[in-house]
Amino acid sequence: MLDLKEKLAPQAASATPAIHTVELAKRFGKTMALAGLTMTVPPGEVFGFLGPNGAGKTTAVKLLLGLIGPTSGEAWVLGAPIGDLAVRRRIGYLPELFRYQGWLSAREVLGVHCSLARLPRAHWKTDIGRVLEVVGLAERADDRVSTYSKGMQQRLGLAVALLGSPELVFLDEPTSALDPVGRHDVREIIRGLTEGGTAVFLNSHLLTEVEMVCDRVAVVDHGRVIATGTLDELLGGHAVRIRLTGLTPAERASLRRFGDVDDEGEWLTLRDIDLDHVPDLVAEVVRLGGRVYAVEPRKQSLEDRFLELLARPEEG
Amino acid sequence: MGLLTIARLTIWEASRRKLLLAVVALTVVIIGMSAWGFLKIWDLENNGHRVTVTEVRLISSQLLILIAFMFSFVLALSAVLLASFSLPGEVETGVVLSLLARPLRRAELVLGKWLGMAALIVAYAVVAGGLEMLVIDLDTGYVPPHPVQLLAYVSAEGLVLLSMALLLSTRLPGIAGGAITAIGFLMAWIGGIVGGIGTAFQNQAIEDVGIVSRLLLPTDALWRGAVFSMEPASVVAVAKAAPPGASANPFLATHGQPVEMLLWVGFWFLAVVALSVWSFRTREV
């Protein structure tokens, strides 16, 4: 397995972080588009950058690619300061709102990008064939892009981002124009990339998508990172909902020793509970004279957590 | 090299979008019609006598100036259209983001576009102008005294407008930049005539209008250089003997362009292209 990974891995699978930023900020006139982004994306990881529309996600990607200059702060991509031309050869990018040259065919668009990325000419044909196959555009590769549906254009964008086996791929809302089958395909492509050792920076507001593929997540709002960590860290453990009767308010409150109690009347929710303690919880309710009708273990969804984070007033 | 890729892409786009086809088709029609027209000059009569060879060549020389004027106009408008919409279109569609995320400098993008369009402009001027001169030569035996200079002047006029439109397109929407360049072109033409009137009436202030307009947008100076390169010695002699007001006539030139003016045009190109690069580099995309 390790062997296979090494074969698929891009040139330098070192310990250098794929992305490292320190207080990276961007201001457009009076608007603070990104306020002090500090984060590290390890190589080979899928990093989800989550936030509502207008949170500063696209600004962050443009800054990291050197398409716009930061107002303050520093950042390194694949070990080089942002904007480094040589490093761009090792990066793939799918922009958010884009239309490729409609007067070219998909194969020609890819050819132009091979040339701009300075890939060895001998590899163009096989690499173009490979990425067309991966995104499922091989059959329409010689049609003009102007005849493509939005979903096909997005697949083409993905193919462009995959050219040359990059070490880091930025995907800005990669599934916004895709149907469920297309979204599934994109998830498979992202998984394939990480198996090859490529780091993926995924900008999205589609939470289920992020939850399914990302190792690590940062949540941004109003240009500020309001939470970051692995999915497990962010979702903060398990919760149990229990439907019961026959306990006094004091007895209900005493269950606090199993986890944070959220008393909804008929239902009690215990957050951050160790799942091994659920039988003890039920036994305790029965010992106190309560009657248990239902016990539902549940993991907090990213959506719940996301809404919770956005609703919380800013802390400093 | 990124610059050449962009230049090739620019030429490719012009041909795929049928711009080249349209211009080439129209040019073939114009040259075909002029081939027929110039042959008809031999049928003209003067007081019952057939026109002489000298007369035919004199008429041809004047007609060529008018045809060159029309070609330079087509070239000017094509240059403005090509250059005004290219960058703004790519910024709007996001194509520019995908290009600049590659190891491509912004300067290479701007210079590559300039180079690609400049190649189209020069190729059109040389091919269309060369064919027209060939047709006239075959019909009447007339060849303008400085054909290479003529092609160079007409090409340079197109390149000036191309550069101006490209500079404006780094910041303005295509329609705005295109309109400003087209109006600037016409104003420079009128500025040249106004300057000539200033010379005729020995009014320094009005003469300066012409000089300033030529320095800002040197299309009129280049056009007059083109006119001079098309004038046979007999016409130049007539022009020189004419009163000073003749210099207001945009189809008559009494002298060629001074070296200083040509140097200024060279500097103007460098400055405008450098300004375009700077302007696009400092723009948020």
Side-chain angles (χ1 to χ4, degrees), chain A residues 26 62 67-68 85 88-89 91 93 97-101 103-104 108 112-113 115-118 144 160, chain B residues 2 5-6 8-9 12-13 16-17 93-95 97-106 108 284-285:
Chain A
K26 180 67 184 180
K62 286 185 178 177
L67 293 172
I68 51 177
L85 278 188
R88 289 195 195 157
R89 295 179 65 169
I91 296 178
Y93 170 44
L97 297 169
F98 67 99
R99 290 198 308 269
Y100 284 112
Q101 296 91 334
W103 42 276
L104 291 177
E108 288 163 345
V112 168
H113 280 268
S115 163
L116 290 175
R118 302 177 197 177
R144 293 272 170 102
V160 169
Chain B
T5 306
I6 298 296
R8 264 203 309 274
L9 197 62
W12 205 357
E13 177 171 13
R16 280 279 171 89
R17 283 186 186 269
T93 55
V95 162
L97 293 179
S98 76
L99 296 177
L100 290 174
R102 296 295 176 193
L104 178 75
R105 289 185 181 83
R106 289 194 180 202
E108 288 179 298
E284 307 275 9
V285 290

Side-chain angles (χ1 to χ4, degrees), chain B residues 208-222:
Chain B
D208 288 347
V209 170
I211 296 170
V212 170
S213 88
R214 265 172 217 188
L215 292 178
L216 286 178
L217 195 67
T219 43
D220 189 59
L222 292 166

Side-chain angles (χ1 to χ4, degrees), chain A residues 149-292:
Chain A
S149 68
K150 272 188 187 165
M152 287 170 70
Q153 292 233 16
Q154 200 145 36
R155 282 170 188 268
L156 172 58
L158 207 52
V160 169
L162 298 179
L163 273 179
S165 305
E167 288 166 57
L168 170 62
V169 174
F170 289 92
L171 303 177
D172 200 349
E173 306 283 2
T175 58
S176 56
L178 295 177
D179 56 20
V181 177
R183 289 182 182 187
H184 173 263
D185 291 351
V186 170
R187 285 197 294 274
E188 290 305 308
I189 291 168
I190 292 175
R191 290 196 184 106
L193 281 171
T194 50
E195 275 169 27
T198 300
V200 178
F201 188 93
L202 176 67
N203 248 8
S204 185
H205 61 264
L206 298 174
L207 301 155
T208 42
E209 182 173 294
V210 169
E211 203 166 6
M212 277 190 243
V213 295
C214 292
D215 303 306
R216 198 181 290 266
V217 172
V219 180
V220 276
D221 191 29
H222 294 105
R224 194 171 284 282
V225 173
I226 51 176
T228 180
T230 62
L231 271 181
D232 279 345
E233 284 165 6
L234 206 66
L235 298 181
H238 297 273
V240 163
R241 264 160 65 89
I242 178 163
R243 187 173 159 225
L244 53 82
T245 56
L247 293 190
T248 66
E251 285 166 340
R252 293 166 80 102
S254 75
L255 299 175
R256 212 179 291 134
R257 65 191 170 91
F258 291 98
D260 294 339
V261 176
D262 192 359
D263 197 338
E264 297 161 26
E266 198 177 348
W267 288 91
L268 277 182
T269 301
L270 285 103
R271 297 187 191 283
D272 287 337
I273 187 171
D274 185 340
L275 288 184
D276 291 341
H277 292 162
V278 174
D280 303 335
L281 168 69
V282 175
E284 176 66 7
V285 173
V286 174
R287 194 187 66 77
L288 291 170
R291 291 170 67 81
V292 177

Side-chain angles (χ1 to χ4, degrees), chain B residues 97-180:
Chain B
L97 293 179
S98 76
L99 296 177
L100 290 174
R102 296 295 176 193
L104 178 75
R105 289 185 181 83
R106 289 194 180 202
E108 288 179 298
L109 183 63
V110 175
L111 294 176
K113 282 196 175 291
W114 189 89
L115 189 66
M117 294 176 200
L120 287 169
I121 294 288
V122 173
Y124 176 76
V126 169
V127 172
L131 275 177
E132 183 64 51
M133 284 192 278
L134 182 71
V135 161
I136 295 173
D137 184 18
L138 291 175
D139 277 357
T140 67
Y142 171 73
V143 177
H146 309 290
V148 175
Q149 277 180 27
L150 166 62
L151 294 179
Y153 274 121
V154 172
S155 302
E157 207 185 335
L159 293 182
V160 164
L161 291 166
L162 158 69
S163 309
M164 191 70 200
L166 189 65
L167 169 64
L168 294 176
S169 81
T170 59
R171 292 289 169 134
L172 295 177
I175 197 91
I180 293 172

Side-chain angles (χ1 to χ4, degrees), chain A residues 126-140:
Chain A
T126 45
D127 210 29
I128 290 173
R130 176 184 69 86
V131 295
L132 283 170
E133 205 62 55
V134 169
V135 302
L137 268 185
E139 282 175 20
R140 296 283 308 270

